Amino acid sequence: MCNRLDTIVSSTESLARGFTVGGGSRRPALVLAIAAVAVLIVPMGVSGTPVLLPRIGADLGGSLAQLQWVVNAYNVAAASCMLATGVLADRYGRRRAFRVGAGLYVVSLVVTIAAPATVVIDVCRGLAGIGAAAIVTSMTAIVADEFTGPARARAFALVGVVIGAGLALDPTISGAIAQLFDWRTVFGVHAVIVGVALLGSLLLRESRNPSSVRFDVPGAAMFTTGLLLLTIGTIEGPRAGWLSPLTIVLFTGAMATLALFVGYEQRTANPMFDLRLFADRQFLTVNLVNIEFAFGFIGLLLLLPAFLSGVGGLGDGETGVRILFLTAPILLAPLLSGRLLAAGVELRFILAGSLAVIGLGAFGLTFLDADRTLWVLALPLIVTGLGVGSLNGVMDGAAVSTVPNQSSGMAAGMFNTNRLAAEASASVLVVTLIASFTRAQLERAPLPPEVDTATASDKLASGDVGQLFTDFPDAVPGFIDANVSAFHQVMWISTALAAFSVTAVLVLLRPRRPS
């Protein structure tokens, strides 16, 4: 342990020396410190919030759809605004864009802390997602403008470590804070972090890109509308019925809007998405990998708190500790995949292997029951975390490494937008599947006639089971069996999706035969 600590300290000192410039100036290190604090809030908003949903539901009430929007409003807004805020930051000033985004994020958190109803939190999380998009795009540009050469690579590596740490550790931290105090305190901590970064922005200089492209308003509007309709349709499907007129209209509208978006982007001079980049097989493949990444990790991250607190009867702190089995390996595995890539291992084998590991973890979770011993949960979560971390170590670089240099910014923006869109869709889909599968099981179970299976399945899917179990104590075993069975079904889907993704990666990235 001491040797490990010495190594970390030595590496940190070397890294800090790498960020200084001639004459011993500490300005680059200061910029990097501010950037690290700023971007930390973005992954915390993604991974920490799902842990709080059962407690928010118990405190404020609200339907399953309203609780889903606490997570999905953030993801959808961030995905929709990622490229737009980047263009606006380049044109009107990166520091100004950061201040606007961070200020919006703080205001949203203050209102969230005082929220009297779940629907108010939904609106605030959407505003926070817009702020998060402005924070990450403006700070990325600020760091890129401040550093050059090897120092820039080190700077982005450190920012990546911070993002990974926030994604990995915040479920446990948020769960502990919520159990010691309450869920509102977690958002208070988030507000303090953003406030510190906002104060730090006073020390930053302004920068712009005078040659930035015109903001693609129609493209952004169509992309946002299509993603929003798709999300609403997936949430409303179980409640209204998958073949109901409302659901059909929502999905039809989503598909039509996204088709119009694709057609428009191919014709406009300043597209939001340069769809020609998808002609590159590596760029296309890495974007497709986002689907299993989102389903196998973000979806699982959303399901576990509700499952462990509802069916498992665990508190927020205990749930957070168990989720650490999933998230802690994400901090270490990127080093392994990065070294494999540097050693000459083909990217397709690293991607396929990582996806296979995620699938193996999902398969292991099909054996999880409400009363199984800890290792039955811990082992597949660790395996899944290793696969997710390995993907994290190579995906971002792979997304931009084969496109022309002048398109690297667009490629990075498209990749992150697609990743957030996939995470938003997966977050909706996994909860919808859990609720649908649970309801199907309950409708076949011998339950008291006064049990409303739709309401019961929503409560089980959200983890808000206290009143349900109290009202129908004799039906609790049936409730638990239905929810466990639904969880297993979703894990089987994740396993199958991982197998399909492995095949797609190996086929799409296979070496071309010389003509």
Side-chain angles (χ1 to χ4, degrees):
M1 176 64 76
C2 291
N3 290 337
R4 176 66 173 164
L5 182 59
D6 291 341
T7 301
I8 293 174
V9 171
S10 176
S11 299
T12 303
E13 290 174 348
S14 299
L15 198 60
R17 286 194 297 271
F19 295 131
T20 60
V21 294
S25 170
R26 291 290 175 177
R27 174 177 165 75
L30 177 64
V31 171
L32 191 60
I34 296 169
V37 173
V39 300
L40 178 62
I41 195 61
V42 178
M44 291 176 73
V46 173
S47 67
T49 308
V51 180
L52 308 177
L53 295 186
R55 192 173 286 262
I56 292 173
D59 187 13
L60 300 180
S63 65
L64 177 63
Q66 290 175 339
L67 288 173
Q68 282 183 272
W69 277 111
V70 173
V71 172
N72 295 320
Y74 182 92
N75 289 339
V76 170
S80 302
C81 298
M82 186 68 68
L83 286 174
T85 54
V87 171
L88 293 173
D90 283 345
R91 173 165 292 190
Y92 298 107
R94 283 82 175 253
R95 185 180 67 172
R96 177 179 296 175
F98 170 75
R99 287 178 173 176
V100 172
L104 182 62
Y105 208 128
V106 169
V107 170
S108 73
L109 289 170
V110 171
V111 178
T112 298
I113 293 168
T118 303
V119 68
V120 176
I121 301 179
D122 294 340
V123 175
C124 290
R125 294 310 292 164
L127 295 175
I130 298 173
I135 287 171
V136 72
T137 53
S138 58
M139 268 301 168
T140 298
I142 287 171
V143 171
D145 186 64
E146 186 69 34
F147 297 93
T148 59
R152 178 184 288 179
R154 288 191 293 267
F156 278 115
L158 186 59
V159 170
V161 169
V162 171
I163 291 175
L167 194 67
L169 300 178
D170 195 55
T172 302
I173 296 171
S174 294
I177 293 173
Q179 183 152 330
L180 289 173
F181 302 100
D182 60 19
W183 61 267
R184 298 178 193 269
T185 306
V186 175
F187 291 113
V189 172
H190 289 189
V192 171
I193 292 172
V194 183
V196 170
L198 193 55
L199 289 175
S201 70
L202 297 173
L203 304 175
L204 300 177
R205 64 181 176 218
E206 186 60 278
S207 64
R208 292 178 177 84
N209 179 8
S211 61
S212 64
V213 299
R214 178 180 58 83
F215 176 39
D216 180 14
V217 176
M222 284 185 281
F223 180 79
T224 302
T225 301
L227 184 59
L228 195 61
L229 289 174
L230 183 64
T231 304
I232 295 173
T234 308
I235 291 176
E236 291 297 322
R239 185 190 64 81
W242 291 109
L243 297 178
S244 69
L246 174 62
T247 306
I248 292 174
V249 167
L250 288 169
F251 279 119
T252 302
M255 295 300 104
T257 305
L258 292 174
L260 287 173
F261 168 76
V262 171
Y264 175 81
E265 293 297 287
Q266 290 176 322
R267 294 191 305 270
T268 184
N270 297 294
M272 177 182 172
F273 274 23
D274 185 356
L275 299 177
R276 293 171 298 179
L277 294 179
F278 287 111
D280 181 272
R281 291 190 301 161
Q282 181 168 304
F283 185 74
L284 172 64
T285 302
V286 175
N287 277 277
L288 290 176
V289 167
N290 274 331
I291 298 174
E292 169 56 16
F293 176 88
F295 197 95
F297 174 57
I298 301 298
L300 181 59
L301 198 62
L302 191 64
L303 292 185
L304 277 177
F307 184 85
L308 295 177
S309 64
V311 170
L314 302 180
D316 293 330
E318 296 170 302
T319 297
V321 169
R322 282 160 175 76
I323 291 177
L324 196 60
F325 290 121
L326 170 66
T327 56
I330 296 173
L331 292 174
L332 304 176
L335 300 176
L336 173 61
S337 59
R339 288 180 178 178
L340 289 174
L341 193 63
V345 178
E346 290 184 37
L347 175 66
R348 65 183 182 127
F349 293 131
I350 297 176
L351 292 176
S354 301
L355 290 166
V357 171
I358 294 175
L360 182 61
F363 171 74
L365 287 171
T366 62
F367 297 95
L368 180 64
D369 287 329
D371 56 354
R372 284 295 181 96
T373 54
L374 182 60
W375 70 267
V376 178
L377 172 67
L379 186 58
L381 290 186
I382 291 171
V383 170
T384 301
L386 290 171
V388 170
S390 296
L391 284 182
N392 267 348
V394 296
M395 280 206 305
D396 290 85
V400 299
S401 62
T402 62
V403 301
N405 288 338
Q406 63 269 25
S407 300
S408 60
M410 172 71 77
M414 289 173 62
F415 174 74
N416 284 304
T417 298
N418 290 335
R419 177 155 61 182
L420 284 167
E423 290 173 2
S425 301
S427 298
V428 176
L429 184 59
V430 292
V431 177
T432 298
L433 289 174
I434 284 286
S436 297
F437 292 154
T438 301
R439 183 175 180 178
Q441 293 287 332
L442 292 178
E443 288 175 347
R444 295 193 295 267
L447 299 175
E450 59 270 23
V451 173
D452 183 340
T453 56
T455 301
S457 61
D458 282 0
K459 293 291 185 182
L460 288 162
S462 66
D464 180 19
V465 298
Q467 192 62 48
L468 179 67
F469 286 5
T470 299
D471 291 343
F472 305 102
D474 294 337
V476 169
F479 292 145
I480 292 177
D481 288 345
N483 198 221
V484 169
S485 175
F487 184 84
H488 290 170
Q489 286 176 274
V490 173
M491 290 303 102
W492 277 115
I493 292 174
S494 184
T495 303
L497 183 58
F500 173 82
S501 300
V502 168
T503 304
V505 167
L506 293 176
V507 170
L508 287 172
L509 293 184
R510 68 185 185 278
R512 290 177 174 171
R513 294 179 180 178
S515 55

